Amino acid sequence: MTRGRPRDPETDAAILRAAAAVFVERGVEGASIEQIAKRAGVGKVTVYRRWAAKEELIAQAVEFLLADQVSKPPAEVVARSSPYELVENALESVAETAASPEFRALAARVLGSAVSHPELMAVYWEHYVRPRRELTHALLRRAQEEGTVAADADLDVLTDMIAGAVTYRALQPDPPGTDGMRTYLRTLFRQAGLLP
Amino acid sequence: MTRGRPRDPETDAAILRAAAAVFVERGVEGASIEQIAKRAGVGKVTVYRRWAAKEELIAQAVEFLLADQVSKPPAEVVARSSPYELVENALESVAETAASPEFRALAARVLGSAVSHPELMAVYWEHYVRPRRELTHALLRRAQEEGTVAADADLDVLTDMIAGAVTYRALQPDPPGTDGMRTYLRTLFRQAGLLP
């Protein structure tokens, strides 16, 4: 491959997938371009031609990994459903995600790098956390209008309480499986005023 | 030093302090016995004579770091104060801790190793999280008796919501300083029924 030749998107995707996997297994500090190249089945030079530093590559890999993750219900479903119905419909998928080893491993690594590599948290925040917060916030506002969430509740803090509890529970010793997480989420959403 | 000679507690303490510092800076995967020994000003052999593996040393270092951290108010103060008063009295110290770079860095690293090195989370849980959870739980129970927390609230989940929100907020991009954290905590405790 010579300079200026168009990049092969499949090679890029293989490198990004490998970088995400190595990051989740070993953290930023434990990952190296060598390991990532080996995992992707390419030479080190192929990686270095595309990314100058492993931190940059890992941030883009996290973004790539999360690209298709947000599944928002269609606007007409949101419009004709109550907050309770929307939460009930989302419960199974949230429980499966929050109990999955992949979510736990990625969330742990991203939180783990929050202080040493804030650029990774920024990417995770923008592509994963923020769209979910906006959905939660909109739900809480409607629940507040319907009176199941207190009129004077601070919705940003309540969003932190919900998201914080799920993440925190998932990373505690002895984390629940999908069934346990479903039960946990029911209690949590009830407490927040999002389930009866 | 020959085998059987008593261990020097000051050397042990220096190694544990160095191990905690290297762990917080670089994570488990980025830390090595060599770096820890260098930081402590001792030879590698001195470390290896005491700890067989860096994971074991780091877990003990986290325990050592947290040993004197729990400041529980005296029982007679707890007995004669309302939950509101106890929370108000603790607010400044909780805000300072939650906004401190040291807390953020340690919490990030421990959460970051929750999946890859659950033994570190177990130590952190036992020595740091559990005593705080017990205090929070006891406060919530009294607040429930006094009617400021709903009678049907699940106190374990509510404890997760409080602790999860603080940890989560501290690790978000653009974390608050002490003043911002104090304001945040007031809103959080009010939301939970622990402040008026």
Side-chain angles (χ1 to χ4, degrees), chain A residues 120-140:
Chain A
L120 286 179
M121 173 53 96
V123 164
Y124 186 71
W125 192 263
E126 189 59 28
H127 292 269
Y128 187 87
V129 180
R130 203 153 71 123
R132 282 167 177 72
R133 285 182 79 86
E134 286 168 4
L135 282 173
T136 307
H137 208 280
L139 266 174
L140 287 169

Side-chain angles (χ1 to χ4, degrees), chain A residues 26 29 104 108-109 111-112 114 116 121 125 129 133 153-154 160-161 168-169 171-172 184 187-188 191, chain B residues 26 29 108-109 111-112 114-116 121 125 129 133 153-154 160-161 168-169 171-172 184 187-188 191:
Chain A
R26 309 188 34 87
E29 286 87 357
R104 294 182 67 234
R109 288 301 185 189
L111 287 170
S116 60
M121 173 53 96
W125 192 263
V129 180
R133 285 182 79 86
D154 181 307
D160 280 351
M161 291 172 85
Y168 191 65
R169 184 66 194 89
L171 297 181
Q172 283 171 19
Y184 184 84
T187 312
L188 175 63
Q191 186 82 35
Chain B
R26 310 187 34 87
E29 287 86 356
R109 289 299 184 193
L111 286 169
V115 175
S116 60
M121 175 53 97
W125 193 264
V129 180
R133 285 182 78 87
D154 181 307
D160 280 350
M161 291 173 85
Y168 193 64
R169 184 65 193 89
L171 297 181
Q172 283 172 18
Y184 184 86
T187 312
L188 174 64
Q191 187 82 35

Side-chain angles (χ1 to χ4, degrees), chain A residues 3-28:
Chain A
R3 279 170 79 91
R5 182 171 154 183
R7 282 163 56 155
D8 170 11
E10 286 191 24
T11 304
D12 280 13
I15 294 169
L16 289 168
R17 269 193 298 270
V22 172
F23 167 60
V24 166
E25 276 172 32
R26 309 188 34 87
V28 184

Side-chain angles (χ1 to χ4, degrees), chain A residues 79-158:
Chain A
R80 69 158 187 265
S81 311
S82 72
Y84 284 175
E85 286 167 337
L86 291 168
V87 170
E88 190 61 51
N89 291 343
L91 198 68
E92 192 58 32
S93 136
V94 176
E96 276 168 21
T97 301
S100 74
E102 293 75 19
F103 167 79
R104 294 182 67 234
L106 181 65
R109 288 301 185 189
V110 172
L111 287 170
S113 342
V115 175
S116 60
H117 297 86
E119 71 278 15
L120 286 179
M121 173 53 96
V123 164
Y124 186 71
W125 192 263
E126 189 59 28
H127 292 269
Y128 187 87
V129 180
R130 203 153 71 123
R132 282 167 177 72
R133 285 182 79 86
E134 286 168 4
L135 282 173
T136 307
H137 208 280
L139 266 174
L140 287 169
R141 186 165 302 285
R142 285 188 52 195
Q144 208 171 31
E145 285 158 13
E146 300 189 7
T148 66
V149 166
D152 64 349
D154 181 307
L155 301 188
D156 282 330
V157 171
L158 196 49

Side-chain angles (χ1 to χ4, degrees), chain B residues 3 23 31 63 67 69 86 98 100-101 106 110-111 121 131 134-135 140 147 152 154-155 161 168 175 181 190 194-195:
Chain B
R3 280 171 78 93
F23 166 61
E63 185 178 337
Q69 292 268 320
L86 291 167
S100 73
L106 181 65
V110 172
L111 286 169
M121 175 53 97
E134 286 169 2
L135 282 174
L140 287 169
D152 64 349
D154 181 307
L155 301 190
M161 291 173 85
Y168 193 64
M181 189 54 91
R190 200 175 296 129
L194 287 178
L195 277 181

